[in-house]
Amino acid sequence: MSHDAGRLIFFATADDLRPLLVHLENSIEIQYVECGLFDSEDQPPLRNLSQSPTLGVAATGSFQLEPPYLVLPAAAQIAVRAVPQRRGGTHYAIDQRSNAGSAVLRLGGQYKNIALINGEWSTLHGDPVARALFKIFYSETRKSFRNVKGIWLGPAAHRAWQSGLRLTHSVTSPPEFDLSPHCQSIDP
């Protein structure tokens, strides 16, 4: 982990994610807002992603298509950029580019009964708030997750993996790119 930015890749079920998010939400008052390009600049923030009924479910089967959430302190103003479109009109971007003191969370989760899709916790910013957010999640992950070749597996995800469930970034990706159950854990 660099001192200016951080990235943590993980596989987790709802049972693995909920304690991490509850710890984060109890450690600092935060808000989550979906990242992306929108027709309106008004995107409602969420306060408790840990209580989401879709927590641990990867609806698309692809890491890149799962919604990313910008994570900021609850008191922070969410900066939204206007992005003029070539064919006219304006869309509005919510991302880390204009939001120092933030992190991005993609939850991943189980896709049908086929696979677990990876999640990611990351920040591009080296400011103290972004580093603190990253550290809270990272420290809690290290307590209960296993590190397998630099990828963190929650306890339930690890059991599913040992039972033969695919751990992948996309169900359309060839299985040779999955996390192999023959890898050895780095941390117990």
Side-chain angles (χ1 to χ4, degrees):
M1 178 178 75
S2 110
H3 292 289
D4 293 335
R7 181 174 183 225
L8 182 141
I9 298 170
F10 60 87
F11 286 96
T13 67
D15 289 339
D16 298 328
L17 286 168
R18 191 165 285 107
L20 288 177
L21 295 178
V22 166
H23 179 77
L24 179 65
E25 293 162 3
N26 289 336
S27 296
I28 183 171
E29 288 188 46
I30 59 171
Q31 60 182 322
Y32 306 90
V33 65
E34 190 171 345
C35 294
L37 204 56
F38 302 98
D39 292 334
S40 165
E41 56 188 314
D42 296 321
Q43 297 302 315
L46 303 169
R47 297 287 185 203
N48 295 319
L49 200 52
S50 62
Q51 303 306 312
S52 170
T54 60
L55 183 66
V57 176
T60 67
S62 172
F63 167 78
Q64 291 296 325
L65 299 177
E66 292 301 317
Y69 292 94
L70 191 67
V71 183
L72 306 106
Q77 288 290 333
I78 299 166
V80 180
R81 288 183 294 112
V83 181
Q85 301 297 293
R86 287 184 183 174
R87 295 184 179 179
T90 301
H91 287 164
Y92 300 91
I94 298 175
D95 56 24
Q96 278 199 298
R97 179 176 167 185
S98 301
N99 288 283
S102 67
V104 172
L105 176 62
R106 280 186 201 255
L107 295 169
Q110 188 158 344
Y111 178 72
K112 300 182 180 176
N113 289 324
I114 299 171
L116 274 178
I117 305 301
N118 71 284
E120 181 180 77
W121 176 253
S122 61
T123 184
L124 300 174
H125 299 290
D127 66 64
V129 175
R131 284 196 317 254
L133 285 169
F134 187 86
K135 185 178 179 183
I136 292 168
F137 192 89
Y138 181 75
S139 296
E140 196 64 18
T141 300
R142 288 182 55 113
K143 290 179 185 175
S144 60
F145 280 42
R146 288 185 178 201
N147 185 339
V148 178
K149 298 223 174 203
I151 298 171
W152 294 88
L153 277 61
H158 188 266
R159 287 190 298 277
W161 179 57
Q162 295 292 24
S163 297
L165 189 67
R166 286 184 71 186
L167 270 60
T168 185
H169 68 279
S170 175
V171 293
T172 61
S173 176
E176 56 265 22
F177 295 111
D178 294 358
L179 185 62
S180 168
H182 304 293
C183 296
Q184 296 298 313
S185 294
I186 296 172
D187 290 341

